[in-house]
Amino acid sequence: MSAGHHHHHSHAHSHDHGHSHAPASFGRAFAVGIGLNLAFVIVEAAYGLISGSMALVADAGHNLSDVLGLVIAWIASVLTARPPSARFTYGFKSSSILAALGNAAILLVALGAILVETIRRLIDPQPVAGDTVMIIAAIGIVINTATALMFMRGRNHDINIRGAYLHMAADAAVSAGVVVSGLLITLTGAQWIDPVTSLIIVAIIAIGTWGLLKDSLRMSLHAVPPGIDEQHVRRFLTGLNGVEAVHDLHIWPMSTTETALTAHLVMPGGHPGDNFLHQLAHELEHDFGICHATLQVETIDGHECALLHDHTV
């Protein structure tokens, strides 16, 4: 606000350091997981082309996207932990949002290429070595399960770790589906089973990718994060003792794991004191998961705040 408004301003900050982004102890898990899965992607794609299996190629594409996901989670965990600077006053927290958006775009391009080839194979089925498909996919089950186990202990405490765990667990399940398709091809000789399996894998990946794309787009546009009701937060703030009105309320994601809030509280009775603001920041974190709150107190002095109306940003 400009000095001419003579408002009493106060800011309460609450930084939640409990939401760790991939603690250092998971650095080795990321390195091993990325190394194992990247090696497997190369082997799986090669054998998929050799055996003529689009299901293996599709699964390799899926695994490659998850390797990218692990790399992104690792890079984001490092960047988000970097301190703010004079130029980047929030640090690099939002890098995890940009990374998720980029990952979704890469996935969509890969899916398009796999889908085109799969449709071609449906129109003109090619011989598929079912036994090779089963062996390679079985190796994938072992690698993905082992990688998932490395992230299991942190899945309940860090959303990035949980994402890595779920990706690898899902990969193990998809590889199991490819094993079944290889077995069915071996038993029946029906070559159409392979491209149909590939289509199912593409559909599964597309559903997850669409969700990732929507969430990352919303986050990049500073939408209120899922799980937080803006009206509920507004009612909570308005109902506080001494608060007559609330305006210029903004809630947005600082990263894929942290949420920020700013608001102006109109308190005609005067400034409530620092204890009120610190307690309020604590309640916003505890009740709504908002870990970085900046609150401005305004008393009535005859001057209207320039940001009084909700359509003004």
Side-chain angles (χ1 to χ4, degrees), residues 46 80 124 171 265:
T80 54
D124 182 22
D171 279 352
L265 308 180

Side-chain angles (χ1 to χ4, degrees), residues 50-284:
I50 293 170
S51 64
S53 171
M54 276 309 297
L56 274 183
V57 173
D59 192 38
H62 184 197
N63 284 319
L64 179 59
S65 72
D66 286 335
V67 168
L68 290 176
L70 286 176
V71 171
I72 286 170
W74 196 5
I75 292 174
S77 73
V78 174
L79 288 178
T80 54
R82 293 183 63 177
S85 66
R87 179 173 293 276
F88 298 98
T89 56
Y90 271 130
F92 293 90
K93 292 184 181 297
S94 61
S95 60
S96 56
I97 299 173
L98 293 176
L101 187 59
N103 195 15
I106 293 170
L107 274 168
L108 288 176
V109 173
L111 283 177
I114 294 171
L115 185 60
V116 168
E117 180 61 20
T118 298
I119 292 174
R120 190 181 72 79
R121 290 296 182 93
L122 271 174
I123 297 172
D124 182 22
Q126 301 294 319
V128 176
D131 53 349
T132 302
V133 171
M134 283 191 293
I135 292 170
I136 298 301
I139 294 172
I141 294 174
V142 174
I143 290 176
N144 289 320
T145 301
T147 306
L149 290 174
M150 288 191 291
F151 293 105
M152 180 178 285
R153 65 185 173 88
R155 71 188 189 281
N156 294 325
H157 307 292
D158 188 305
I159 193 169
N160 277 333
I161 300 298
R162 188 187 312 157
Y165 168 78
L166 291 175
H167 269 303
M168 293 301 105
D171 279 352
V174 171
S175 293
V178 176
V179 169
V180 172
S181 76
L183 178 61
L184 290 175
I185 291 171
T186 302
L187 294 176
T188 66
Q191 303 300 322
W192 59 265
I193 292 174
D194 181 78
V196 168
T197 302
S198 177
L199 282 177
I200 294 171
I201 293 172
V202 166
I204 292 171
I205 304 169
I207 292 170
T209 302
W210 182 245
L212 176 64
L213 180 63
K214 286 196 302 182
D215 289 344
S216 56
L217 274 174
R218 286 174 181 151
M219 284 186 164
S220 64
L221 292 173
H222 288 174
V224 176
I228 297 179
D229 185 340
E230 189 267 355
Q231 289 299 315
H232 188 188
V233 175
R234 186 180 292 273
R235 286 194 298 269
F236 166 73
L237 293 174
T238 305
L240 292 170
N241 186 34
V243 176
E244 181 181 89
V246 175
H247 60 265
D248 199 35
L249 172 62
H250 300 282
I251 307 169
W252 75 96
M254 295 175 66
S255 70
T256 51
T257 59
E258 295 176 271
T259 302
L261 172 148
T262 60
H264 290 198
L265 308 180
V266 179
M267 305 186 73
H271 193 287
D274 289 343
N275 287 338
F276 171 88
L277 294 174
H278 289 311
Q279 178 61 30
L280 177 53
H282 172 75
E283 290 177 7
L284 286 170

